Amino acid sequence: MSWEENVKKVVPYVPGEQPKTKVIKLNTNENPYPPSDKVKHALEHFDIDSLRLYPDVNGGELRTKLSEVYSVDEEKIFVGVGSDDVLAVAFLTFFAGKKPILFPDITYSFYDVWADLYDIPYEMIPLDDDFRIKKEDYFRPNGGIVIPNPNAPTGVEKSIEALEEIVSKNKDSVVIIDEAYVDFGAKSMLPLIDKYDNLLVVQTFSKSRCMAGVRIGMAFGNPKLINYMNDVKFSINSYTMNRLTVAAGVAMLEDSAYFEEMTNRVIATRERTKVALRELGFEFPDSKSNFIFARHKQVAAKEIFEAAKKNGIFMRWWGKPRIDNYLRISIGTDEQMDEMIAFLKEYLK
Ligand SMILES: *Cc1c(COP(=O)(O)O)cnc(C)c1O
């Protein structure tokens, strides 16, 4: 059709499947545990009349609560509809130069999608054979850098000393550290935002805070970075954080004991799962996230992926170069992992 000439054509990000039937869902890194009861209470007592009014453009009480819990001034916090929203705004805001931005070749598969969508030139920097980031690769001219820590889908943590070197050697560009999984045992760069005005730290409620369905993400950085992001955001949609989301997010932040308990549970389950997978002939880089990126020494990942799916166990598999023999298995409850291990034992026999 002739109007198609004027259409923006992109290859979209493909999210993991959300099956309608009841399965053991280990394919999109959601938390297996529900939000705190405080969230339930907050929504049950929510002031429905208030929905008549537009919400606060900066996330209102959610940003205030984040400021309290993370000990960061409000003016250094940006909130969005999941970290995908925060990252999309950050790409649009900070990666407007002519030089290519840099990110690993094996990483969150949304980065190249946004770069293509916003016409940002980019270079994917190969991880080494053990899926590690080499900091020296990032000591070269660039228009910006984005690195998840721990990386996804590998689960590998990079030391904050090495990341700090990347930030300090790239003062002319913004470095985004995507800490979607940091609460599962990695170190955060958050304490460094006052030291480096080119550092933006992005986190989310979707994984460690049990609320992927609510859609809350946040960025921490110096006020100048945050103001630039707001200018872009206010040019698209000012009211991204709705009042129900804010109420749920505040309530979740009020229960730090629950947050710590659930995070520790996931970590404990991950560690036992590592042992069980190794016994079954899997190998994997050490994970500091809520998933394990594993391959079997004899059996192809695709075969295991398909057989597991037939048995109601969903994992993630990408038929992409370098990682087509790997499965990403999210950490569920102990019971779910036991069922998954039992299936693998039987299947691999
Ligand atoms: C899950 C994930 C996100 C986005 O999660 P939201 O649900 O949009 O907050 C961002 N980055 C990485 C690396 C992720 O794995």
Side-chain angles (χ1 to χ4, degrees):
M1 264 153 276
S2 52
W3 52 260
E4 283 188 295
E5 270 175 43
N6 303 321
V7 169
K8 175 112 193 171
K9 291 168 199 85
V10 286
V11 182
Y13 171 77
V14 184
E17 246 180 286
Q18 295 294 348
K20 298 275 184 313
T21 51
K22 206 165 154 49
V23 300
I24 297 184
K25 198 170 173 311
L26 309 176
N27 68 334
T28 52
N29 297 345
E30 288 134 330
N31 201 300
Y33 303 109
S36 154
D37 277 345
K38 288 199 192 252
V39 175
K40 188 168 181 230
H41 185 265
L43 292 179
E44 278 170 359
H45 294 84
F46 183 80
D47 172 16
I48 292 178
D49 288 355
S50 73
L51 291 178
R52 189 174 62 76
L53 302 167
Y54 279 114
D56 181 82
V57 290
N58 288 314
E61 292 154 49
L62 177 60
R63 196 169 70 141
T64 309
K65 195 78 203 171
L66 281 168
S67 157
E68 209 180 294
V69 170
Y70 287 83
S71 305
V72 173
D73 296 340
E74 285 194 43
E75 53 175 10
K76 297 174 188 164
I77 305 174
F78 177 95
V79 292
V81 185
S83 54
D84 286 342
D85 177 44
V86 175
L87 287 163
V89 171
F91 269 54
L92 204 45
T93 308
F94 302 122
F95 299 162
K98 299 233 163 13
K99 288 183 212 150
I101 64 163
L102 311 178
F103 50 84
D105 64 335
I106 301 167
T107 195
Y108 189 37
S109 44
F110 227 134
Y111 299 157
D112 56 331
V113 172
W114 286 314
D116 285 332
L117 176 66
Y118 300 140
D119 296 317
I120 300 165
Y122 60 95
E123 267 176 53
M124 301 208 222
I125 312 289
L127 299 179
D128 73 10
D129 290 339
D130 296 320
F131 293 148
R132 279 186 306 233
I133 289 165
K134 285 175 288 167
K135 63 182 180 193
E136 296 78 15
D137 289 345
Y138 294 83
F139 303 162
R140 62 165 101 170
N142 64 76
I145 292 172
V146 54
I147 295 174
N149 193 43
N151 195 8
T154 63
V156 177
E157 179 188 19
K158 189 77 191 163
S159 77
I160 56 169
E161 290 76 21
L163 291 173
E164 180 172 0
E165 230 182 300
I166 293 176
V167 175
S168 70
K169 289 211 158 82
N170 285 286
K171 295 236 166 74
D172 295 339
S173 45
V174 173
V175 178
I176 301 174
I177 305 296
D178 179 354
E179 296 188 346
Y181 302 101
V182 77
D183 297 327
F184 298 108
K187 274 217 179 93
S188 175
M189 297 283 278
L190 187 53
L192 295 174
I193 58 166
D194 289 326
K195 191 167 169 193
Y196 298 101
D197 62 8
N198 61 325
L199 169 64
L200 190 79
V201 174
V202 177
Q203 295 189 6
T204 174
F205 276 46
S206 296
K207 280 68 185 234
S208 57
R209 290 197 187 265
C210 313
M211 302 213 318
V214 175
R215 314 302 302 130
I216 296 174
M218 60 278 198
F220 303 99
N222 82 81
K224 204 160 184 185
L225 290 177
I226 302 302
N227 281 339
Y228 275 125
M229 285 178 77
N230 276 327
D231 288 345
V232 168
K233 174 193 145 162
F234 295 157
S235 308
I236 302 172
N237 177 5
S238 310
Y239 303 110
T240 53
M241 303 306 292
N242 73 69
R243 290 172 179 272
L244 284 157
T245 299
V246 168
V250 168
M252 190 64 202
L253 287 171
E254 269 162 3
D255 203 346
S256 53
Y258 181 86
F259 163 66
E260 270 162 42
E261 195 190 326
M262 294 309 121
T263 309
N264 286 333
R265 252 196 228 180
V266 171
I267 292 170
T269 306
R270 176 187 73 207
E271 295 307 312
R272 4 184 328 262
T273 306
K274 284 180 186 171
V275 175
L277 286 175
R278 251 185 230 118
E279 276 171 11
L280 287 169
F282 284 91
E283 45 190 14
F284 43 86
D286 193 40
S287 168
K288 283 289 172 62
S289 57
N290 69 339
F291 56 83
I292 297 171
F293 196 54
R295 72 173 164 195
H296 194 268
K297 287 181 195 145
Q298 278 99 35
V299 186
K302 184 164 189 265
E303 280 175 39
I304 301 172
F305 168 76
E306 280 164 2
K309 192 167 169 180
K310 270 197 203 114
N311 283 268
I313 302 170
F314 280 48
M315 304 169 176
R316 195 88 190 263
W317 173 76
W318 292 270
K320 282 189 187 174
R322 291 190 80 192
I323 59 168
D324 62 348
N325 206 24
Y326 281 82
L327 293 165
R328 192 193 66 190
I329 306 168
S330 309
I331 302 301
T333 61
D334 277 322
E335 296 71 39
Q336 289 176 317
M337 298 326 264
D338 288 346
E339 278 192 55
M340 191 253 329
I341 294 294
F343 158 77
L344 288 173
K345 238 180 215 156
E346 187 61 30
Y347 177 72
L348 295 167
K349 213 159 53 189

